[in-house]
Each structure stands twice: as structure tokens, then as C-alpha cells.
């Protein structure tokens, strides 16, 4: 009887994108991954995950709107649902809908955020009672960025991505996200970064081992610190990305930087009006995909819908 009641519900979760205010790639680990020292920040632009239980079935089905993506086990949403089922030690019939708004293979964490939102949505739907820590443990097996999305909107991320320390930045900023329409593989970007280095170890954030209270707490303090180890490498191979970053600065962005390992670029603006004006100007010149959004302010809990 309880199963029947749960099956009539649908749970919806927001899957926000992210930017890296700081992204430093450190030494390579024995498992082949690299240690990271990064500060991540969510944005309001988001995908949406909708999940419902299918009575009498043990299959997981996925549909996708907004872009052409595989809907089988190669999709992180599907794999996240499988991981939930494995953790519960029982097969659950599920139908999941993914509405994509975030660009794909663009450095804004869309796939990782979708996976985290799927885990959270299913935890609510199936009434698991899992904490964010428990859900992050499931997520870290799916990707290095996944655990962050259980602790946003702002956090210091270290190790392979499993060590997440929430931070606070007072206020908000408006963003222009721009994507040139090219996909950059994370594996490819890491390979190019390793090739470009002389072998010297890069130091982590100077205050990474200190109390989170010692980090800057205002956007004005953070703006001069924004950096990304991938930027020089990616811009050297894709000059249009450097051109886009410089154009954002020319339109009044307080800072502009590559998103993750690329290919999107973000510009930070002090107001919505300034961001929208810059997007209009750049849209006329470049014709690339542009979004005006703002920094995420809090983590949203999945909700049941009719």
C-alpha cells in the first residue's frame, strides 16, 4: 500500500550549473586522477530532473529534452539512478525526465549536477532518509564534481573532489555565460595541461588548510583572485575563447574566466542591467550562445509535484 502511494508522486529537482572561481590542478594521484584545489560557485541557470516510480517494473528509463543526449547507462543520470538502486539493494522501476538548459561538455558541470540532482530526487521519492554526506558518497563514484553539488552554493573542493568545505560569499553577482558551440573533453584538457607543464608541483590555495572563515567573504575580495590553470592551454588551441574572454572584459566585466576545462567562458558583472547589455552587444558580434544568470544563493531541496 505504501509503494502504491509513493508511485503516484513525482519529484522534481533543480540541477544548477557551476563556475570555478579558482581552479588549480596539482599533482597526479596513484589512481591516475589529479588532486585539485578549487573554489566552486553554483549559478541559477539549471537543468531540471523529474523522477517517478513505475509500479510493477524494475527498469530505469530516461528521456531528455533540450538537447540530443544518450539515454542509456552512458548518461550520468541513468548511472546515478543505478547507483541509488544498488545502494538500496533492490531493483526499482523508475522513469526520469531530464530537461537540459546547460550546455554540454562546456565546463559548467551540467552532467555532474544532473547526477547529484537525480540522487537527491530519488532519495526524496523513495524516502531513503539519506543525509547529504551519504548522497555525496554515492555521487563521488560518478564524477569528481558531483559531491560539490550537495554542499553548494559555494565551496572549497580538494583532493579528487571528495573533500568539500562549504564557504560563504556575501551578496550576489550577475553573470554572462557564453559558449562557442565546441565541446572540450575533460580528459583531453587534462592531457594538454600535463603536456604544457615542466613537472613542477603547483601549490594549492594558500589558505586551503586554514579555517574557511579566513577565506574572502565578499565578491570584491574574490575578484582579484579568480584564476584557472586550464585557461592558457585551452586559449592557445582555441583563440576564439581568448577573444570571447577579452570581449567580456571590454564590455565591463569585473572578471572573465574559462569555465572548468572549457569551452564556456563566464563574465562577472555588478548588476543585471550591465550583464544584459553586455550579452546583447556580444550576441550581435559573435552569434554564440549566451545566457544571463546570477550566482546561486542557496541549495534547493527536491520537491514533490503533481
Amino acid at each position: 500500500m505504501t509503494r502504491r502511494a509513493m508511485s503516484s508522486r513525482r519529484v522534481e529537482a533543480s540541477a544548477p550549473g557551476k563556475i570555478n572561481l579558482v581552479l588549480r590542478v596539482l599533482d597526479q594521484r596513484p589512481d591516475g586522477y589529479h588532486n585539485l584545489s578549487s573554489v566552486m560557485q553554483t549559478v541559477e541557470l539549471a537543468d531540471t530532473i523529474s523522477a517517478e516510480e513505475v509500479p510493477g517494473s524494475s527498469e530505469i528509463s530516461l528521456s531528455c529534452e533540450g538537447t540530443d543526449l544518450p539515454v542509456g547507462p552512458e548518461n550520468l543520470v541513468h548511472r546515478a539512478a543505478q547507483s541509488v538502486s544498488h545502494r538500496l539493494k533492490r531493483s526499482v522501476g523508475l522513469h526520469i525526465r531530464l530537461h537540459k538548459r546547460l550546455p554540454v561538455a562546456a565546463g559548467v558541470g551540467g552532467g555532474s549536477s544532473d547526477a547529484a540532482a537525480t540522487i537527491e530526487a530519488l532519495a526524496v521519492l523513495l524516502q531513503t532518509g539519506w543525509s547529504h554526506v551519504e548522497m555525496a558518497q554515492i555521487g563521488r563514484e560518478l564524477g569528481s564534481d558531483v559531491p560539490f553539488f550537495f554542499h553548494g552554493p559555494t565551496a572549497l573542493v580538494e583532493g579528487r573532489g571528495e573533500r568539500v568545505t562549504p564557504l560563504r560569499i556575501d551578496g550576489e553577482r550577475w553573470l554572462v555565460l557564453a559558449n562557442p558551440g565546441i565541446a572540450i573533453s575533460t580528459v583531453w584538457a587534462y592531457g594538454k595541461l600535463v603536456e604544457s607543464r615542466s613537472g613542477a608541483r603547483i601549490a594549492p590555495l594558500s589558505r586551503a588548510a586554514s579555517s574557511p572563515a579566513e577565506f574572502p567573504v565578499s565578491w570584491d575580495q574574490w575578484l582579484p583572485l579568480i584564476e584557472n590553470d586550464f585557461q592558457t592551454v585551452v586559449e592557445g588551441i582555441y583563440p576564439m575563447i581568448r577573444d570571447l574572454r577579452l570581449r567580456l572584459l571590454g564590455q565591463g566585466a569585473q572578471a572573465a574566466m574559462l569555465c572548468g576545462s572549457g569551452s564556456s567562458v563566464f563574465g562577472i558583472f555588478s548588476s543585471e542591467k550591465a550583464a544584459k547589455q553586455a550579452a546583447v552587444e556580444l550576441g550581435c558580434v559573435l552569434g554564440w550562445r549566451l545566457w544571463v544568470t546570477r550566482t546561486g544563493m542557496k541549495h534547493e531541496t527536491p520537491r514533490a509535484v503533481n
Side-chain angles (χ1 to χ4, degrees), residues 286-298:
L286 299 174
W288 292 352
R289 296 183 69 192
L290 297 164
W291 299 264
V292 175
T293 185
R294 60 181 169 179
T295 51
M297 297 298 290
K298 63 179 181 178

Side-chain angles (χ1 to χ4, degrees), residues 192-216:
K192 291 298 182 183
L193 180 61
V194 170
E195 287 177 15
S196 72
R197 287 180 163 175
S198 63
R201 186 179 185 276
I202 308 299
L205 287 168
S206 60
R207 282 173 287 188
S210 304
S211 166
E214 296 182 29
F215 279 84

Side-chain angles (χ1 to χ4, degrees), residues 171-284:
E172 66 178 14
R173 280 296 188 274
W174 285 85
L175 306 170
V176 174
L177 291 177
N179 183 266
I182 58 175
I184 293 182
S185 160
T186 300
V187 173
W188 175 89
Y190 270 92
K192 291 298 182 183
L193 180 61
V194 170
E195 287 177 15
S196 72
R197 287 180 163 175
S198 63
R201 186 179 185 276
I202 308 299
L205 287 168
S206 60
R207 282 173 287 188
S210 304
S211 166
E214 296 182 29
F215 279 84
V217 295
S218 75
W219 280 102
D220 287 340
Q221 290 176 296
W222 269 112
L223 291 171
L225 304 178
I226 291 174
E227 62 176 306
N228 184 338
D229 280 352
F230 288 105
Q231 182 165 283
T232 300
V233 173
V234 171
E235 288 186 351
I237 298 170
Y238 295 102
M240 76 284 285
I241 292 178
R242 178 178 181 273
D243 178 62
L244 172 57
R245 180 174 60 83
L246 294 178
R247 286 179 181 272
L248 281 165
L249 292 172
Q251 291 294 326
Q254 296 175 305
M257 190 64 59
L258 186 73
C259 293
S261 58
S263 59
S264 297
V265 177
F266 67 90
I268 299 179
F269 293 83
S270 59
S271 69
E272 180 181 14
K273 180 180 178 181
K276 286 184 174 179
Q277 183 176 342
V280 169
E281 295 292 334
L282 289 172
C284 292

Side-chain angles (χ1 to χ4, degrees), residues 67-239:
T67 192
D68 185 20
L69 285 176
V71 293
E74 61 271 46
N75 190 300
L76 274 176
V77 169
H78 196 285
R79 287 168 55 194
Q82 288 180 316
S83 295
V84 168
S85 182
H86 291 160
R87 178 62 66 97
L88 291 172
K89 297 182 179 179
R90 63 184 176 91
S91 296
V92 182
L94 297 166
H95 179 61
I96 302 171
R97 298 178 181 88
L98 167 61
H99 184 185
K100 286 296 293 182
R101 299 179 186 88
L102 296 166
V104 177
V108 295
S112 295
S113 186
D114 293 341
T118 299
I119 294 169
E120 281 202 282
L122 294 181
V124 172
L125 179 70
L126 303 174
Q127 301 177 356
T128 65
W130 292 334
S131 68
H132 279 182
V133 172
E134 291 173 300
M135 290 187 284
Q137 288 174 344
I138 299 172
R140 72 183 184 186
E141 300 302 321
L142 300 168
S144 298
D145 287 348
V146 179
F148 159 72
F149 290 100
F150 296 102
H151 299 281
T154 315
L156 169 67
V157 178
E158 299 173 287
R160 183 185 157 186
E162 75 280 4
R163 299 203 309 273
V164 183
T165 305
L167 301 175
R168 186 186 88 251
I169 304 179
D170 293 334
E172 66 178 14
R173 280 296 188 274
W174 285 85
L175 306 170
V176 174
L177 291 177
N179 183 266
I182 58 175
I184 293 182
S185 160
T186 300
V187 173
W188 175 89
Y190 270 92
K192 291 298 182 183
L193 180 61
V194 170
E195 287 177 15
S196 72
R197 287 180 163 175
S198 63
R201 186 179 185 276
I202 308 299
L205 287 168
S206 60
R207 282 173 287 188
S210 304
S211 166
E214 296 182 29
F215 279 84
V217 295
S218 75
W219 280 102
D220 287 340
Q221 290 176 296
W222 269 112
L223 291 171
L225 304 178
I226 291 174
E227 62 176 306
N228 184 338
D229 280 352
F230 288 105
Q231 182 165 283
T232 300
V233 173
V234 171
E235 288 186 351
I237 298 170
Y238 295 102

